[in-house]
Amino acid sequence: MKKIALSALVSLLVTAIWAQNPAPQSPTSKKDKREAKRERINNLLKQQEEGEIIFNKQRVFGIKLSTDGYGLSYEWGRFKSNRVATIFQIELNEKKHKKEKRISLFSGLNFNSLVYGKMNNFYQLKFGVGQQRIIGGKGNKNGVGVMAVYSGGLTAGFVKPYYVDVQDNFDQRKRSTYPIIIDSGYLEQGASGFTVGWKELKVRPGAYAKAAMRFDYGRFNEMVTAIEVGLNAEFYASKIPQMAYNSEKQFFFNAYISLLLGRRK
């Protein structure tokens, strides 16, 4: 009886162990999987060699020079396919009026400068979303990729008074702004500086849209080294005073060029 019980227990253990171990794959099945994996890798290498951008995401920093100012940008993108990516952008810019002109002033042994007639500094902080679409492959790793970029979003305009150190009609030094300086006949001594006027900052909400062409000439697809050339339009909820005795605008339109540097993963 003991022998029968022991035999049954051994049989159960062998059956349980056998059930836990999967059936061995045939040599043909293993070979097919290795061939399929090798083919996928070869296709990816071929696409990279031919200039295809086959990454999942990218991060890009930019330095921008426009027809009415300059700025910095940061972009985060996720590829929906090899040729289309959704991009999220943030920009910080300073916008200049076309009639701004810096003049030099000499007061005794001191040298100062100011922008004559300037009423406010105008800055923009933009948040946008858009697409990057590859319309021309690089041809090879050392080629140039051509991409169309279009985006839009919200912008916050920040208006900061532009203060000037002046000498009033009683020979007292004080700070004032245009057009009060002109109307009162004050003698300008120089701009008060970047740090003055922030307590009087005003916010002007708006929206923007832009379209551009991006030329990526990076040697390797992992690196973004590109030049972007485009057009930008902005509209604000109220008019922005920039220069004394000049019309105030709500709508701004400019052309720009940006140097972009970043990485793809």
Side-chain angles (χ1 to χ4, degrees), residues 168-210:
D168 66 15
N169 299 325
F170 300 98
D171 294 331
Q172 299 293 317
R173 289 183 64 91
K174 59 189 296 185
R175 285 173 175 163
S176 187
T177 59
Y178 293 105
I180 297 173
I181 297 171
I182 300 173
D183 296 339
S184 302
Y186 294 156
L187 181 62
E188 296 98 328
Q189 303 295 308
S192 298
F194 177 77
T195 59
V196 179
W198 288 103
K199 292 182 179 180
E200 302 173 55
L201 190 72
K202 297 179 180 178
V203 180
R204 297 289 184 264
Y208 81 96
K210 70 176 184 178

Side-chain angles (χ1 to χ4, degrees), residues 149-167:
V149 179
Y150 41 92
S151 63
L154 301 177
T155 176
F158 299 98
V159 181
K160 182 179 81 71
Y162 181 78
Y163 274 95
V164 177
D165 294 333
V166 300
Q167 184 176 319

